[in-house]
Amino acid sequence: MPHRITFTRQITQKDKARFMRHTSLSETSSYNRTPCLEWTGFKDVNGYGGFQFEGYHIKPHRFAYAAKHGEWPTYVLHHCDNRACVNVKHLYSGTQSDNMQDMIRRGRANRLAQTGSRNHYAKRTENEIIELRKIIDSKLFSDKQIANAYKMAQSGVGQIRRRTSWKHI
Ligand SMILES: [Zn+2]
């Protein structure tokens, strides 16, 4: 979700210290021979982390990027594919297209991870639908590409686009 928030102050050493208290080095996940640094602090009911800064819940990896580079790019992406990771060496600022490619790739990985469980269209979570909407609305991919990545029927993609299903989201 692109952030359009303008912060009124810079990130201080004190903020960074507060942030670092909620992280731990991963023993299992790494990228380019450096371990992931995982967020252990607040997570919402959907498993998304949040760090309080200026009264906002900022995604921890976005905060980590801003703390390091002093800027808030629209998209901060993971090289390591570990959503909980806040290791600045594993983060990069990308374009909207990069972000969509990343979502498609992750969607595919998630689908593969769910093999064996019933992954019926109707059982998708609201978060997945929100993600799908972003991908669909970006017009960067065909219905067929999206359907393949998400292991769903092409007609299902059309229904989401036309809001004949999941209208409430
Ligand atoms: Zn990582």
Side-chain angles (χ1 to χ4, degrees):
M1 180 76 65
H3 274 250
R4 300 292 176 212
I5 302 168
T6 309
F7 297 104
T8 58
R9 67 177 179 84
Q10 299 294 309
I11 294 167
T12 64
Q13 288 303 326
K14 211 173 151 189
D15 295 319
K16 289 183 196 176
R18 182 166 60 90
F19 181 83
M20 289 304 289
R21 280 201 292 277
H22 302 290
T23 61
S24 91
L25 277 178
S26 170
E27 289 171 10
T28 52
S29 185
S30 66
Y31 168 75
N32 219 357
R33 296 193 300 278
T34 58
C36 286
L37 183 67
E38 291 175 336
W39 177 249
T40 59
F42 173 85
K43 285 195 181 93
D44 69 17
V45 289
N46 298 310
Y48 289 95
F51 178 70
Q52 282 272 359
F53 179 68
E54 291 231 279
Y56 294 99
H57 271 290
I58 313 292
K59 282 185 184 166
H61 71 289
R62 289 183 54 79
F63 182 86
Y65 188 96
K68 167 77 177 171
H69 300 283
E71 56 177 32
W72 298 88
T74 308
Y75 298 103
V76 177
L77 305 168
H78 287 94
H79 284 301
C80 59
D81 263 350
N82 179 357
R83 211 182 276 199
C85 182
V86 295
N87 183 337
V88 289
K89 291 188 185 134
H90 300 185
L91 302 175
Y92 65 103
S93 94
T95 62
Q96 187 188 27
S97 170
D98 291 335
N99 189 50
M100 294 300 166
Q101 302 272 10
D102 193 51
M103 283 188 189
I104 288 264
R105 199 158 41 80
R106 270 210 317 268
R108 193 180 285 133
N110 291 346
R111 294 299 87 67
L112 288 172
Q114 285 172 10
T115 305
S117 74
R118 280 187 53 128
N119 185 29
H120 188 262
Y121 166 62
K123 291 190 177 148
R124 288 177 189 279
T125 65
E126 298 196 351
N127 269 334
E128 283 183 303
I129 300 300
I130 290 167
E131 187 173 303
L132 273 165
R133 281 257 160 80
K134 277 191 260 180
I135 289 165
I136 292 167
D137 292 345
S138 76
K139 299 187 169 61
L140 291 166
F141 302 96
S142 69
D143 283 8
K144 192 170 179 211
Q145 283 176 305
I146 297 168
N148 285 344
Y150 282 83
K151 296 265 184 294
M152 60 192 292
Q154 230 170 291
S155 59
V157 179
Q159 284 169 5
I160 294 173
R161 168 184 295 111
R162 295 189 301 275
R163 278 142 169 100
T164 49
S165 62
W166 295 92
K167 280 191 272 274
H168 62 294
I169 300 178

